[in-house]
Amino acid sequence: MGILGNQEIADYQYFTTYTVYSNIAGFDNNIYSGTGFQLGSPDLKWEKVNTRNIGADLSFLNDKLSVNLDYFYNKTNDILLSPITPTVLGTTLGDVNIGSMENRGWEVTLNYHFKTGDFNHSASFNIGNTENKALDLGNPQIRVVDNVGFIQQNGLPLGAYYGLKTDGLFQSYDEIANSAIPIGVTPQPGDVKFVDRNNDGVIDDNDRYYLGDGFPHYNFGFSYNLNYKGFDLSVLIQGVGKRLQSLRGDIYMPFHNGAWYPVIFKHELDTWTVTNTDARFPRLTTDNSSSFSNNWGRPSDLVILNAKYIRVKNIQLGYTLPEKLVSKCGFKSVRAFINLQNPFTFSPNSFIDPESTEFDNLLNASGGNSGRNYPTLKFYGAGVNINF
């Protein structure tokens, strides 16, 4: 248990700062400079993180099996936030100690060592989860960047997605005529159908939902080591049991921004047609059409993917030559091995790295994930370790 501070804030916010602008106004055919200012926060103080932790270490089967349990709870008070001010103020305020937030989570680790004949086994498994919730971050703040909606609201986690819920694809004009549609949009069969949350017959901002958060949950890892008469095998697997990931741009939206009309990715081929009515994606349209605006032009869960995955991180198989044999050559030991790194990844979306994200380490997001990152490299190699 303890209390920590946070120094990751901007400097000199307790001062009122002034900025000179060279062309802020014009008068009598002349340009005049002017001064803008930001009010300081003279009562600034440290953010405080109250940390509590409890754990237990257990062993069974003559210490062959060990179990480690851990639970933590962190509450952050006096979080520095920039308050919302009326536009008539004419400026902005610096950060003020007005927020609070909590994090809680747990982790379980199992280790097991055993023998079967000449085989020596060692296995380890761990899993953990963390939940984040805003307690007092002021009034709700909603923003949309790159067709991805985010909401900051008390009671919800940071990095929360916000938008419309899809309800499949329109299959006929009769279904369209009997459904709620956005104002100004003329959908066609094959376009996205949205849930009318308030049942007013119109799809608008009042129909938006909290759609989940982009924080990884149920992180797990598994390692296994085997030794048998000079042979050794090691396997490392890790993954995430629950996570959402937003995606934008040409890697996900066919013909995005008109720059990719000649190109379509293989995973985008599952689009609605009269012979493919249970497609994953709506029908193909140009990006200046009413249908494109309906399908991709507003924040919805259409651009939020299931990013859970299992990844085989490493497999290594080795053999250590008998000491009597290598000592005749003047060596202490000789071991040959083959190694595979990232050979397999199991994910609902094979076209993007499930570990990629639009969030930074503070769970701030500047928009959706474009997927424009280097793919996870697979490595296959072999080597020899020689000790003299």
Side-chain angles (χ1 to χ4, degrees):
M1 179 181 295
I3 298 177
L4 301 175
N6 177 21
Q7 65 181 20
E8 298 301 322
I9 61 174
D11 298 328
Y12 308 116
Q13 294 193 72
Y14 48 88
F15 290 130
T16 294
T17 57
Y18 297 86
T19 304
V20 177
Y21 300 97
S22 59
N23 57 348
I24 197 171
F27 180 75
D28 196 20
N29 293 324
N30 293 307
I31 297 175
Y32 293 89
S33 62
T35 302
F37 68 98
Q38 176 176 298
L39 293 175
S41 301
D43 298 322
L44 280 183
K45 55 186 177 181
W46 286 87
E47 295 182 358
K48 300 182 183 68
V49 183
N50 191 318
T51 302
R52 301 177 183 180
N53 182 281
I54 186 171
D57 296 327
L58 309 172
S59 62
F60 306 91
L61 304 176
N62 295 323
D63 293 332
K64 292 181 179 179
L65 173 64
S66 63
V67 180
N68 306 105
L69 307 174
D70 187 70
Y71 175 82
F72 72 89
Y73 174 82
N74 297 338
K75 183 178 180 181
T76 305
N77 294 311
D78 297 325
I79 294 177
L80 289 164
L81 298 172
S82 180
I84 299 175
T85 57
T87 55
V88 295
L89 181 64
T91 185
T92 59
L93 294 176
D95 289 337
V96 180
N97 297 96
I98 57 175
S100 62
M101 182 178 60
E102 70 176 14
N103 293 278
R104 64 180 69 217
W106 54 267
E107 184 176 13
V108 177
T109 302
L110 305 174
N111 295 289
Y112 188 41
H113 308 274
F114 62 101
K115 292 185 65 175
T116 54
D118 292 329
F119 293 88
N120 292 298
H121 308 265
S122 175
S124 177
F125 175 76
N126 69 284
I127 185 170
N129 187 41
T130 300
E131 299 286 347
N132 168 278
K133 184 170 69 173
L135 299 178
D136 185 7
L137 295 183
N139 295 324
Q141 298 184 37
I142 300 171
R143 60 193 181 95
V144 177
V145 187
D146 298 329
N147 302 88
V148 181
F150 301 94
I151 184 170
Q152 178 179 292
Q153 179 176 302
N154 296 337
L156 296 180
L158 294 179
Y161 295 119
Y162 194 62
L164 301 174
K165 281 188 178 182
T166 56
D167 189 22
L169 303 175
F170 286 118
Q171 301 297 329
S172 66
Y173 287 105
D174 288 339
E175 184 180 4
I176 295 172
N178 293 291
S179 301
I181 60 175
I183 296 175
V185 171
T186 306
Q188 305 291 321
D191 290 344
V192 175
K193 180 181 179 181
F194 298 105
V195 175
D196 184 11
R197 183 178 185 178
N198 58 3
N199 295 312
D200 64 353
V202 177
I203 299 299
D204 55 22
D205 288 347
N206 295 319
D207 297 306
R208 292 177 294 183
Y209 289 82
Y210 160 59
L211 300 173
D213 67 275
F215 197 78
H217 298 283
Y218 306 108
N219 296 271
F220 62 87
F222 173 78
S223 63
Y224 174 73
N225 294 279
L226 173 68
N227 290 279
Y228 172 75
K229 294 183 178 180
F231 288 95
D232 62 90
L233 171 69
S234 63
V235 179
L236 175 62
I237 299 173
Q238 58 94 211
V240 171
K242 179 183 178 183
R243 179 175 173 247
L244 298 177
Q245 173 188 57
S246 68
L247 197 58
R248 66 168 181 87
D250 44 74
I251 195 174
Y252 194 62
M253 305 177 188
F255 308 147
H256 176 67
N257 285 346
W260 298 90
Y261 285 156
V263 177
I264 188 169
F265 293 96
K266 182 178 180 180
H267 60 269
E268 295 174 332
L269 293 175
D270 187 16
T271 56
W272 187 95
T273 66
V274 293
T275 59
N276 187 34
T277 57
D278 60 346
R280 175 177 181 178
F281 297 104
R283 69 190 186 96
L284 291 177
T285 64
T286 59
D287 64 345
N288 59 359
S289 67
S290 175
S291 290
F292 194 93
S293 175
N294 176 78
N295 300 336
W296 304 103
R298 50 183 49 83
S300 75
D301 58 10
L302 182 64
V303 296
I304 298 177
L305 309 182
N306 183 349
K308 65 181 180 180
Y309 71 93
I310 298 175
R311 172 167 285 161
V312 180
K313 295 289 291 185
N314 187 273
I315 301 176
Q316 186 170 119
L317 177 64
Y319 178 68
T320 301
L321 296 176
E323 183 178 353
K324 292 183 179 179
L325 178 62
V326 299
S327 61
K328 296 180 180 179
C329 302
F331 304 134
K332 289 185 178 180
S333 65
V334 176
R335 177 178 177 268
F337 66 91
I338 56 174
N339 188 41
L340 289 72
Q341 296 181 14
N342 301 314
F344 308 109
T345 299
F346 305 95
S347 170
N349 306 291
S350 61
F351 55 89
I352 187 171
D353 182 359
E355 291 188 88
S356 64
T357 179
E358 70 273 26
F359 295 102
D360 61 19
N361 61 342
L362 297 178
L363 277 179
N364 295 316
S366 58
N369 184 356
S370 69
R372 294 170 184 163
N373 50 278
Y374 286 105
T376 301
L377 298 179
K378 295 181 180 181
F379 172 81
Y380 303 90
V384 177
N385 295 326
I386 300 176
N387 292 323
F388 295 92

